[in-house]
Amino acid sequence: MGVNVYRAEDGVIGPRGFVSLDQPQLFCCESCLRDFYDDVDVLRLPKRIP
């Protein structure tokens, strides 16, 4: 109780906001989060002009 954690979720952005597609994953620190996603290709979308 009372411990700081990082939470990561897979999801999509819908017309009403974020829609989770899976259970969230909890990480004890930022370095654990980086290590977990270090070998995953990060999807980068082009910037949009509103």
Side-chain angles (χ1 to χ4, degrees):
M1 302 296 276
V3 177
N4 290 337
V5 295
Y6 289 88
R7 175 177 155 168
E9 292 184 67
D10 290 325
V12 295
I13 299 294
R16 295 187 179 167
F18 183 79
V19 178
S20 181
L21 297 176
D22 203 1
Q23 294 292 335
Q25 295 177 340
L26 303 177
F27 298 92
C28 62
C29 61
E30 188 175 346
S31 64
C32 289
L33 176 66
R34 287 183 185 180
D35 290 342
F36 184 80
Y37 286 105
D38 190 31
D39 62 345
V40 175
D41 292 333
V42 176
L43 175 64
R44 301 232 184 237
L45 298 175
K47 291 184 179 181
R48 293 177 45 186
I49 299 173

